[in-house]
Amino acid sequence: MATKSILKNVKIEDKRFARTFVQALESAKDAKYRPEKLTRECKEITGDKIKEFFGKQ
């Protein structure tokens, strides 16, 4: 996550949204990190290969 997004001010004026936001933060606090095994091959592409990959001319 980018640092800039962590430092943003959040203004929530609706009580219902504030409650939902706090509940989401609390449940995220209790969540444990589980590493996932990648099932697909990954390779880096640059320049013209990107256009080719997305089918652009």
Side-chain angles (χ1 to χ4, degrees):
M1 178 183 277
T3 305
K4 199 170 195 173
S5 63
I6 294 172
L7 300 175
K8 290 199 181 221
N9 291 329
V10 177
K11 184 176 181 180
I12 303 173
E13 296 178 355
D14 188 322
K15 235 182 200 178
R16 184 175 51 124
F17 292 138
R19 189 172 296 116
T20 304
F21 181 68
V22 170
Q23 288 172 345
L25 289 175
E26 288 174 347
S27 66
K29 176 187 69 164
D30 298 331
K32 301 291 182 199
Y33 171 75
R34 282 185 312 195
E36 294 291 328
K37 186 173 182 175
L38 299 178
T39 58
R40 296 190 176 139
E41 183 181 336
C42 178
K43 60 182 174 180
E44 188 173 326
I45 58 173
T46 57
D48 291 336
K49 293 287 184 183
I50 294 173
K51 291 179 183 176
E52 183 182 317
F53 180 81
F54 287 106
K56 302 282 182 179
Q57 294 291 338

